Amino acid sequence: MNVKLSDGRIIPIDMHKVRVVQQTTLPPLSRRVEAIAEAGYNTFLLRTRDIFLDMLTDSGTNAMSDHQLAAMMISDDAYAGGESYYRLQQAVKDVLGFEYCLPVHQGRACEHLLARVFIKPGDVQLMNYHFTTTKAHFEMQGGKVVEIYCDDALQTASDNPFKGNLDLDKFRASIAEYGADRISFVRMEATTNLIGGQPFSMANLKAVREIAQKHNIPVIIDCSLISENAYMIKQREAEYADWSVADIVREMMAQADVIYMSGRKSTCARGGLLATNNPEYHRQFSEWLPVFEGFLTYGGMSSKEIEAMAVGLREMTDLEAASASVDLIAYLVDLMVKRGVPAVTPPGGLAGHVDAMKFCSHIPQTQYPAGALAAAFYIVSAVRGMERGTISSERDEHGQDILSDLELLRLAVPRRVYSMAHMEYVVDRLSWLYAHRDLIGGLEFVQEPPALRFFIGRLAPIGDWPQKLAEAYRADFGEV
Ligand code: F0G
């Protein structure tokens, strides 16, 4: 939540008390230079002990509430028919308004099941933007992902409050081009992860629903960050300013035929779920669940996490919970802008993002500017961010990189984990790096898996730029 101070400043204030803490350390510069080399210049391959602030992701790394932890103590581990499942089912009914729900081990398992049930080879899946695992699963099933985002969605510096909107003209044109029969569904991702966590508006969702219904196209919402999107609707869409986050979420859900979520984000747990009011879809998902995930009442999740997700679902619509990361991200992004760091604006829902194509305009996209920036930023800060650019993309059939629309350094803000002081530190080191950006060089792959290469691929610097960067840093700050 934001509060206004008597000097006029607005700050994000923590609406919780920290009663359990996890120690972190700030490894010295010399160790950071070694650690990133050991990790193949891929921040995914760093170890926690070498990280000061872990801003890799907001997935599964959020602070849980006392009520979530308490619920985990009374979980029911029955293989079938466990009471934990029924508590989750009730939470899904109460909060999201769906009769049927199925737990899965995490969000991408939903995408796998959606692909099995909805996609035939040659089908097209329309969406406001793809996510890495989404695209991988849909294309493995023979589908074709078509993104129909609004024209300025990829403009990193913008004042469009809803860059996650689906372009309605492109939607109509796609229906005309492919024919409704070939369109498996239209998917709306609540805060588009890869283009900066940008929300869509309620008006846009309702318009998408109306067009889809006319053509019998199912509407699917990726709800992984649903409460954050709902909170930004409350903040940015005048009509909903007086609505509660809970009511906005219900209204959003009323537009969907199927929803799915990674339970690792808004619900501050680990797991995932699929939900619908359509008994036929439910039957089809249910048939695959025991094959790939587990029995219907646990779906590959631990019963403890099912309990935590049930409580997390109810808690995520509290204004305090829904706003926790959004307000801190806005603070982080505003600081970046004030210090001249090229940030993605407006602030989004899961992270502060830096435009690496502007930050490292001297590095060609084929040398992965966002990956290089993530490695360089780790060296100068011990903060772990993530590349969201061409490394997170793939190669075409000729082995050439498919250059990503955007090259972003993502600095995720897990819910209720970090403080304003941490954000000040992040922006301080980031602006120092911006002043020394010419020292950052490119990267090249030395080990590259065929799918989702960003997770475990290894890279090497082109030249000895990490050492030169470290020398410049040492001259200003010493080893810390
Ligand atoms: N959909 C969205 C919008 C996501 O952000 C993610 C995961 C998934 C689906 C897949 O869910 O990880 O539980 O299997 N995003 C994580 C991230 C990995 O760091 O952004 P999952």
Side-chain angles (χ1 to χ4, degrees):
M1 286 234 313
N2 285 324
V3 289
K4 190 167 178 183
L5 302 183
S6 49
D7 65 5
R9 278 185 304 142
I10 293 175
I11 59 163
I13 200 144
D14 305 316
M15 294 301 289
H16 52 261
K17 297 177 277 190
V18 179
R19 303 293 297 276
V20 178
V21 295
Q22 185 182 18
Q23 184 81 39
T24 187
T25 53
L26 182 47
L29 175 67
S30 49
R31 175 62 203 147
R32 285 155 16 208
V33 174
E34 268 169 24
I36 196 70
E38 287 164 16
Y41 295 86
N42 179 350
T43 54
F44 272 99
L45 302 180
L46 289 165
R47 287 180 62 160
T48 292
R49 67 181 184 190
D50 290 320
I51 294 165
F52 173 41
L53 305 180
D54 194 357
M55 301 178 78
L56 182 78
T57 177
D58 65 332
S59 171
T61 53
N62 303 291
M64 298 176 82
S65 71
D66 45 0
H67 294 285
Q68 285 183 294
L69 287 172
M72 290 172 91
M73 300 300 287
I74 48 150
S75 73
D76 178 0
D77 269 323
Y79 186 93
E83 289 303 323
S84 299
Y85 169 76
Y86 293 99
R87 283 190 276 273
L88 175 66
Q89 190 186 49
Q90 194 58 50
V92 169
K93 263 188 211 164
D94 294 346
V95 179
L96 305 177
F98 294 108
E99 278 299 309
Y100 305 107
C101 88
L102 292 170
V104 296
H105 80 276
Q106 64 184 83
R108 67 201 70 185
C110 305
E111 294 165 338
H112 175 210
L113 296 180
L114 285 169
R116 296 229 161 224
V117 169
F118 281 96
I119 299 177
K120 298 186 301 304
D123 281 357
V124 170
Q125 298 78 49
L126 304 178
M127 55 193 71
N128 52 351
Y129 207 77
H130 79 280
F131 183 65
T132 52
T133 54
T134 319
K135 189 169 156 100
H137 279 292
F138 294 174
E139 292 188 346
M140 277 194 297
Q141 191 66 25
K144 177 178 145 108
V145 166
V146 175
E147 294 157 319
I148 43 176
Y149 45 81
C150 53
D151 282 341
D152 58 349
L154 305 182
Q155 232 170 61
T156 52
S158 160
D159 53 12
N160 178 351
F162 292 113
K163 284 196 280 180
N165 279 355
L166 193 97
D167 186 305
L168 301 173
D169 290 333
K170 291 181 196 161
F171 188 17
R172 290 188 201 93
S174 301
I175 296 170
E177 181 181 347
Y178 301 108
D181 289 350
R182 266 186 73 200
I183 298 172
S184 323
F185 48 74
V186 56
R187 168 182 172 276
M188 294 293 279
E189 185 174 308
T191 89
T192 45
N193 191 325
L194 296 187
I195 55 172
Q198 302 295 310
F200 55 75
S201 70
M202 185 75 85
N204 185 251
L205 177 62
K206 287 188 170 181
V208 168
R209 170 77 186 161
E210 204 181 312
I211 298 171
Q213 222 165 14
K214 253 189 229 150
H215 296 273
N216 247 339
I217 297 170
V219 176
I220 296 185
I221 304 183
D222 179 332
C223 287
S224 306
L225 285 107
I226 190 68
S227 57
E228 283 78 18
N229 199 126
Y231 176 59
M232 287 188 276
I233 286 176
K234 182 175 170 63
Q235 282 184 314
R236 301 178 186 184
E237 201 168 350
E239 199 184 328
Y240 296 94
D242 297 330
W243 285 46
S244 67
V245 175
D247 286 343
I248 295 174
V249 167
R250 281 293 283 251
E251 187 79 350
M252 293 169 85
M253 296 301 92
Q255 316 307 317
D257 295 292
V258 178
I259 67 99
Y260 74 96
M261 70 197 303
S262 168
R264 302 170 65 87
K265 293 179 178 258
S266 287
T267 66
C268 294
R270 283 145 291 261
L273 67 84
L274 267 164
T276 181
N277 279 325
N278 182 316
E280 181 53 23
Y281 294 151
H282 177 65
R283 183 187 66 73
Q284 292 181 49
F285 295 136
S286 302
E287 286 173 359
W288 286 112
L289 202 73
V291 180
F292 292 106
E293 297 295 310
F295 192 71
L296 303 181
T297 52
Y298 78 93
M301 283 180 69
S302 100
S303 60
K304 290 188 166 40
E305 293 291 347
I306 292 179
E307 293 281 3
M309 202 158 82
V311 175
L313 264 175
R314 294 186 189 281
E315 290 181 342
M316 74 178 187
T317 59
D318 290 345
L319 188 61
E320 289 78 15
S323 63
S325 60
V326 174
D327 289 345
L328 195 55
I329 290 164
Y331 182 80
L332 168 68
V333 170
D334 286 351
L335 266 186
M336 287 188 205
V337 172
K338 276 192 195 122
R339 310 265 169 91
V341 174
V344 173
T345 56
L350 83 151
H353 294 79
V354 180
D355 184 335
M357 236 127 51
K358 289 187 187 158
F359 200 111
C360 301
S361 53
H362 56 291
I363 302 179
Q365 246 191 308
T366 47
Q367 293 181 13
Y368 312 129
L373 179 56
F377 186 53
Y378 169 75
I379 291 173
V380 304
S381 67
V383 175
R384 170 159 77 162
M386 185 198 290
E387 187 267 8
R388 293 272 79 152
T390 298
I391 297 177
S392 297
S393 174
E394 53 207 25
R395 291 186 188 272
D396 63 17
E397 64 273 28
H398 310 294
Q400 297 300 312
D401 272 321
I402 299 174
L403 300 181
S404 160
D405 290 329
L406 297 177
E407 293 286 338
L408 304 178
L409 165 63
R410 182 179 92 173
L411 297 167
V413 178
R415 295 156 188 82
R416 303 178 295 207
V417 172
Y418 294 126
S419 65
M420 271 172 63
H422 290 133
M423 298 304 117
E424 296 274 349
Y425 172 80
V426 165
V427 179
D428 179 74
R429 290 304 189 262
L430 204 47
S431 51
W432 182 90
L433 186 58
Y434 190 56
H436 296 80
R437 59 190 179 279
D438 292 347
L439 293 173
I440 307 172
L443 296 174
E444 61 191 349
F445 267 103
V446 290
Q447 214 174 301
E448 186 177 343
L452 298 178
R453 61 184 182 170
F454 61 92
F455 280 128
I456 56 171
R458 301 181 70 84
L459 300 105
I462 299 170
D464 62 350
W465 65 261
Q467 285 68 30
K468 295 216 170 88
L469 179 65
E471 275 161 31
Y473 181 91
R474 192 174 283 115
D476 282 1
F477 298 104
E479 276 292 300
V480 182

